[in-house]
Amino acid sequence: MRREIIEKLRQRLEDDSLKIAIIPHISADGDAAGACSALWQVFDRVGKQARVLTCDYFPDYLKWLKRLPDAISFQKHPGECAKWLQEAGMLCMIDHNTFTREGDLEPFTRHFQGDVLMIDHHPDPIEVAYRFSDTRVSSTCELLYLLVTRLWGKEIINADIANALYTGITTDTGGFSHNSSNPRTYRVVAELLALGLDKDQVFDRLYQRNTLSRLRLEGHCLLNKMTIEEPYPLAIIPITLQELEEFHFKDGDLEGVVNMPLSIEEILVSVQVTERKERVKFSFRSKGEIPVNIWARHFFNGGGHRNAAGGQLDLPLDVCLKKLRESAAWFFSEYVNNTPL
Ligand code: 5GP
Ligand code: MN
């Protein structure tokens, strides 16, 4: 992080009249939600007027994060969101790097008059006034920790903020299984522990609040839905809207399912294709050097990280699956060695 930009940000934040909008990406995950919770609490502590605005809703499994229940959803309160964006002098773009990831808020944020502060770790960020973007960090939460402690010292972090930041670090690395080989990540976690992080409580909140229907949905996906797409080292899990309803699906219920096929040695890429009310959502995961974000970008209006990417299409599920299977030939021949199983 460059010193000049931190100093410029420090000065901008000295303006007592400054109102701030904090915005996560659509379908916020643990990293986006953890960072929004942490940043809002930090702004509370330093006396800044901030609000978190979402284009949809935070999933139930992350609602325990402090302050998130107070977030304003555009789906429920469009007028209030628009008003705050009009009054705000700063927009914090959290865990994403283009306005296109802000769903129905995009028409408002795209023409935002104030300064944009980006805190993110995805490739290809847009140009903004205050850009903190680094693909080498484990998570947006790790980067946010580095930024706020540079601005206000470690004292600014209390136990609730530490829990929120750790939520992003642990979820975005799959419990320290990927994107987590930099020693600094563990130094940040060690500091968070010293600052009050209750890591067992976070684990309990994230991973020990399963419901029977969620567990059954997971089982159904693996037993009845997953296919192996020979000759490719590829697993596909298609899920219909009807199945989601059958298993009383709530947002977040399928979190992690797409990773499971990768536990098979020969499987190098896994794709979950989920039929939602609005459109079909794709989740891509891969091992090693395989860049699934390229596949997501070329065919599915998406993008993301090398090993975890997503996209969507406004087409029927069977058409989406056909497109996926057809484009697999191109993707595996271009980007994956040892293609046949
Ligand atoms: P997930 O599969 O968990 O929904 O998404 C994995 C990652 O892919 C996210 O962290 C995000 O970086 C990226 N991603 C998901 N959906 C999209 C999308 O529609 N567009 C872009 N650019 N990235 C996405
Ligand atoms: Mn992230």
Side-chain angles (χ1 to χ4, degrees), residues 25 29-32 94-96 119-122 137-141 168 171-173 179 305:
H25 55 77
D29 56 5
D31 194 27
I94 301 298
D95 197 36
H96 61 291
I119 308 171
D120 183 56
H121 65 139
H122 294 88
V137 297
S138 66
S139 53
T140 293
C141 279
T171 55
D172 245 31
T173 59
N179 239 346
H305 310 273

Side-chain angles (χ1 to χ4, degrees), residues 232-234 269 295 327-337 339:
Y232 308 112
L234 168 68
V269 178
W295 197 3
S327 59
W330 164 80
F331 180 70
F332 280 88
S333 69
E334 287 288 317
Y335 295 99
V336 190
N337 303 322
T339 294

Side-chain angles (χ1 to χ4, degrees), residues 97-145:
N97 59 23
T98 62
F99 293 109
T100 54
R101 298 274 292 139
E102 295 176 357
D104 291 340
L105 279 172
E106 180 188 349
F108 300 87
T109 52
R110 182 170 287 292
H111 303 293
F112 185 70
Q113 296 292 316
D115 297 324
V116 176
L117 162 63
M118 178 194 294
I119 308 171
D120 183 56
H121 65 139
H122 294 88
D124 311 317
I126 58 167
E127 201 59 61
V128 296
Y130 303 94
R131 190 167 83 179
F132 296 92
S133 165
D134 187 345
T135 56
R136 294 165 305 176
V137 297
S138 66
S139 53
T140 293
C141 279
E142 180 179 338
L143 194 57
L144 180 61
Y145 174 83

Side-chain angles (χ1 to χ4, degrees), residues 54-66:
T54 59
C55 64
D56 46 11
Y57 295 97
F58 288 111
D60 284 347
Y61 79 103
L62 294 166
K63 289 235 176 82
W64 57 276
L65 287 162
K66 287 279 152 37

